[in-house]
């Protein structure tokens, strides 16, 4: 068995969960937050057979898009009233960050 953790963007989460559920996978959806952008994202938790990992990854790939975000860095400390607006930093987010771990599932 494998435990798959998939960090995906909010915009992609619903269609991905629908697709995985239609394929018969059990999915747990957790609200999460990225440490860099400090924005909400979604972490999906799936326990699957080893032979199903590729199918899950294929489905994640089909439903998760790469998006560009612009982050404003902190402005430099102003001296003598001058202001230099810092250039926004371009960041590519997604499609998805996927971790596959060995797992044993026990239902109590
Ligand atoms: P965030 O930490 O908010 O990161 C959002 C995007 O910012 C990242 O997209 C990446 O393009 C960029 N980024 C992150 N840390 C950076 C840094 N130290 N310097 C420069 N740019 C940086 P993704 O790589 O697609 O990651 C999307 C989200 O997936 C992350 O949100 C985080 O929640 C999760 N994630 C990504 N890699 C991870 C890892 N190795 N371990 C745990 N979570 C991870």
């Amino acid at each position: 068995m494998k435990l798959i953790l998939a960090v995906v963007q909010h915009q992609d989460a619903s269609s991905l969960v629908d697709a995985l559920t239609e394929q018969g996978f059990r999915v747990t959806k957790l609200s999460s937050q990225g440490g860099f952008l400090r924005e909400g994202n979604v972490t999906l938790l799936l326990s699957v057979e080893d032979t199903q990992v590729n199918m899950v990854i294929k489905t994640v790939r089909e439903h998760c898009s790469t998006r560009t975000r612009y982050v404003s860095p902190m402005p430099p400390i102003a001296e003598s009233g001058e202001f230099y607006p810092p250039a926004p930093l371009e960041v590519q987010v997604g499609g998805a960050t996927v971790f596959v771990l060995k797992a044993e599932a026990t239902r109590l």
Side-chain angles (χ1 to χ4, degrees):
M1 293 221 79
K2 293 284 190 291
L3 176 66
I4 300 179
L5 297 173
V7 185
V8 306
Q9 296 173 73
H10 266 304
Q11 299 95 313
D12 301 323
S14 288
S15 74
L16 176 57
V17 170
D18 288 349
L20 291 168
T21 306
E22 279 164 21
Q23 289 166 22
F25 293 109
R26 296 177 179 209
V27 186
T28 298
K29 189 176 159 194
L30 306 172
S31 294
S32 47
Q33 187 186 49
F36 189 69
L37 294 179
R38 304 289 164 105
E39 287 184 351
N41 52 27
V42 173
T43 300
L44 301 182
L45 209 70
L46 300 91
S47 169
V48 303
E49 298 297 335
D50 291 11
T51 53
Q52 297 174 313
V53 171
N54 286 343
M55 191 175 174
V56 172
I57 289 175
K58 180 171 176 278
T59 306
V60 171
R61 212 175 249 132
E62 285 168 359
H63 287 266
C64 295
S65 309
T66 300
R67 296 183 178 85
T68 302
R69 294 273 292 105
Y70 293 92
V71 187
S72 296
M74 291 291 288
I77 296 169
E79 286 181 23
S80 65
E82 291 176 287
F83 177 63
Y84 300 98
L89 184 70
E90 186 180 308
V91 173
Q92 300 289 324
V93 187
T97 303
V98 179
F99 304 94
V100 180
L101 312 166
K102 283 185 192 164
E104 270 182 44
T106 308
R107 193 173 306 164
L108 303 175

